[in-house]
């Protein structure tokens, strides 16, 4: 409990530092919302601009503005999105749902293929199956995800016409479940194929490393069958690297994948944060980036808990 409390305190400190750094970087970008308003409406006079900056506190030092924004954020007041002309929470909600569904589907598909491949390759190191899995793994890691996405569009959307190339407005929108699954097929496949290689290689290496452990030899000496040794004993400890991968991807569930979402026109958090940064939408950009940081830290804490469940020796004094 003490270790978990310490991790939570460290995570809060990281979030605090992250908010300070991001707010400072956003403040260094040329122009501010009032300057952009002046550029879009020449009828605004310098006196109007000065009054607006005083109203929103933009005439104060950015450290004081950061402290004021931090206090509002701590109270759950995320502010108003200038780009979308609505509260930040309302602007983020559909994108969060879209990214979570997309990334979770891709992660599930990737692991459901990578784990059996890694196990099969580890049972016969150096065999044709092992070499094939290694080749597929290296190809998966080496191919850029944007190129893979474009090739999937060319083949399945343009040439064959089986699947749509673009995304949908919202996951909960019209069209029915079948239509939403058709729109998700290509982006989920691109993300899953890009992640299979890393997970399969880690799974194979962990399984081979555990195969020479004393507890595996003991289980075999006690008469355990091959399936029970592999699935009941060896697999549990070999899942630790996969747990790390899942923990690192946890933040991506809520921050999206900018390149994939751009290629497939998927309205997720990646595109939303990018548009907010490029449009100087301070409130939306800060909230999105801090949410991604918080979820990544939460994934790390959950991974520590999972480690102790999988291997009780971890965390012992």
């Amino acid at each position: 409990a003490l270790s978990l409390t310490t991790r939570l305190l460290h995570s809060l400190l990281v979030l605090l530092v992250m908010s300070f750094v991001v707010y400072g970087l956003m403040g260094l970008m040329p122009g501010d919302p009032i300057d952009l308003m002046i550029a879009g409406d020449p009828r605004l006079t310098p006196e109007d601009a000065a009054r607006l900056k005083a109203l929103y506190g933009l005439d104060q030092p950015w450290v004081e503005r950061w402290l004021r924004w931090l206090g509002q954020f701590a109270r759950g007041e995320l502010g108003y999105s200038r780009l979308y002309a609505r509260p930040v929470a309302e602007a983020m909600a559909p994108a969060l749902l879209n990214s979570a569904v997309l990334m979770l589907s891709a992660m599930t598909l990737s692991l459901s293929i990578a784990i059996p491949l890694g196990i099969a390759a580890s049972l016969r190191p150096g065999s044709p199956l092992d070499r094939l899995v290694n080749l597929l793994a290296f190809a998966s890691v080496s191919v850029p995800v944007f190129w893979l996405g474009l090739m999937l569009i060319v083949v399945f959307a343009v040439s064959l016409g089986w699947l749509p190339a673009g995304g949908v407005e919202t996951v909960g929108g019209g069209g029915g479940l079948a239509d939403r699954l058709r729109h998700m097929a290509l982006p989920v496949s691109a993300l899953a194929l890009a992640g299979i290689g890393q997970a399969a290689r880690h799974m194979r290496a962990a399984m081979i490393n555990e195969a020479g452990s004393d507890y595996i030899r003991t289980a075999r000496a006690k008469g355990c069958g091959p399936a029970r040794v592999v699935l009941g004993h060896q697999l549990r400890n070999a899942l630790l690297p996969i747990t790390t991968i899942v923990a690192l991807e946890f933040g991506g569930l809520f921050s999206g994948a900018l390149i994939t979402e751009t290629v497939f026109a998927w309205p997720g958090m990646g595109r939303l944060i990018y548009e907010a940064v490029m449009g100087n939408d301070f409130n939306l950009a800060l909230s999105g980036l801090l949410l991604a940081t918080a979820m990544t830290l939460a994934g790390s804490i959950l991974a520590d808990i999972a480690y102790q469940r999988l291997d009780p020796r971890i965390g012992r004094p």
Side-chain angles (χ1 to χ4, degrees), residues 85-102:
R86 52 181 169 166
V88 167
E90 293 183 10
M92 288 175 56
L96 275 173
L97 178 60
N98 289 337
S99 287
V101 171
L102 177 67

Side-chain angles (χ1 to χ4, degrees), residues 95-106 171 184 188 253 266:
L96 275 173
L97 178 60
N98 289 337
S99 287
V101 171
L102 177 67
M103 301 296 288
L104 187 60
S105 301
V171 171
M184 288 176 58
V188 167
L253 294 178
W266 187 264

Side-chain angles (χ1 to χ4, degrees), residues 8 11-12 14-15 18 73 247 250-252 254-255 286-302:
L8 290 174
S11 298
L12 290 175
V14 171
L15 280 176
M18 181 68 177
F73 186 83
F250 188 76
F254 301 93
S255 61
L286 285 168
S287 298
L289 291 171
L290 285 182
L291 176 63
T293 304
M295 291 300 102
T296 302
L297 294 171
S300 177
I301 294 175
L302 292 176

Side-chain angles (χ1 to χ4, degrees), residues 8 15 20 24 27 29 31 41 47 104 138 157 181 234 279 286 303 306:
L8 290 174
L15 280 176
F20 181 83
M29 294 183 67
D41 188 358
E47 291 77 13
L104 187 60
F138 280 114
L181 291 176
Q234 189 176 348
L286 285 168

Side-chain angles (χ1 to χ4, degrees), residues 68-307:
R68 186 177 66 253
W69 174 86
L70 190 63
Q72 296 173 347
F73 186 83
R75 295 191 299 270
E77 301 174 5
L78 303 183
Y80 204 79
S81 170
R82 185 184 61 82
L83 286 178
Y84 293 90
R86 52 181 169 166
V88 167
E90 293 183 10
M92 288 175 56
L96 275 173
L97 178 60
N98 289 337
S99 287
V101 171
L102 177 67
M103 301 296 288
L104 187 60
S105 301
M107 184 189 303
T108 302
L109 178 61
S110 176
L111 293 179
S112 64
I113 297 174
I115 292 177
L117 281 179
I119 295 174
S122 69
L123 296 178
R124 295 177 178 272
S127 65
L129 175 61
D130 184 32
R131 290 194 292 269
L132 177 61
V133 170
N134 278 321
L135 177 62
L136 294 176
F138 280 114
S140 171
V141 173
S142 304
V143 173
V145 66
F146 73 88
W147 183 87
L148 180 60
L150 290 175
M151 292 302 101
L152 290 176
I153 291 175
V154 169
V155 174
F156 293 100
V158 178
S159 299
L160 299 176
W162 291 351
L163 297 167
V168 291
E169 290 187 3
T170 60
V171 171
L177 177 61
D179 182 67
R180 293 195 293 273
L181 291 176
R182 291 182 69 250
H183 282 85
M184 288 176 58
L186 292 183
V188 167
S189 299
L191 288 172
L193 290 173
I196 285 175
Q198 181 185 14
R201 289 175 60 197
H202 283 293
M203 193 71 228
R204 173 188 177 276
M207 290 290 291
I208 292 176
N209 182 62
E210 294 296 328
S213 301
D214 291 338
Y215 73 92
I216 295 296
R217 288 192 290 268
T218 301
R220 289 172 177 163
K222 290 169 62 177
C224 292
R228 184 177 178 184
V229 170
V230 172
L231 301 179
H233 298 279
Q234 189 176 348
L235 179 60
R236 177 170 179 171
N237 289 331
L239 284 175
L240 291 176
I242 302 299
T243 304
T244 303
I245 295 175
V246 173
L248 294 176
E249 294 292 335
F250 188 76
L253 294 178
F254 301 93
S255 61
L258 172 61
I259 296 177
T260 304
E261 291 175 0
T262 301
V263 170
F264 293 99
W266 187 264
M269 281 297 295
R271 288 181 61 192
L272 187 76
I273 294 174
Y274 173 77
E275 292 171 357
V277 171
M278 297 306 295
N280 275 6
D281 192 338
F282 277 60
N283 292 329
L284 184 56
L286 285 168
S287 298
L289 291 171
L290 285 182
L291 176 63
T293 304
M295 291 300 102
T296 302
L297 294 171
S300 177
I301 294 175
L302 292 176
D304 288 345
I305 297 174
Y307 288 162

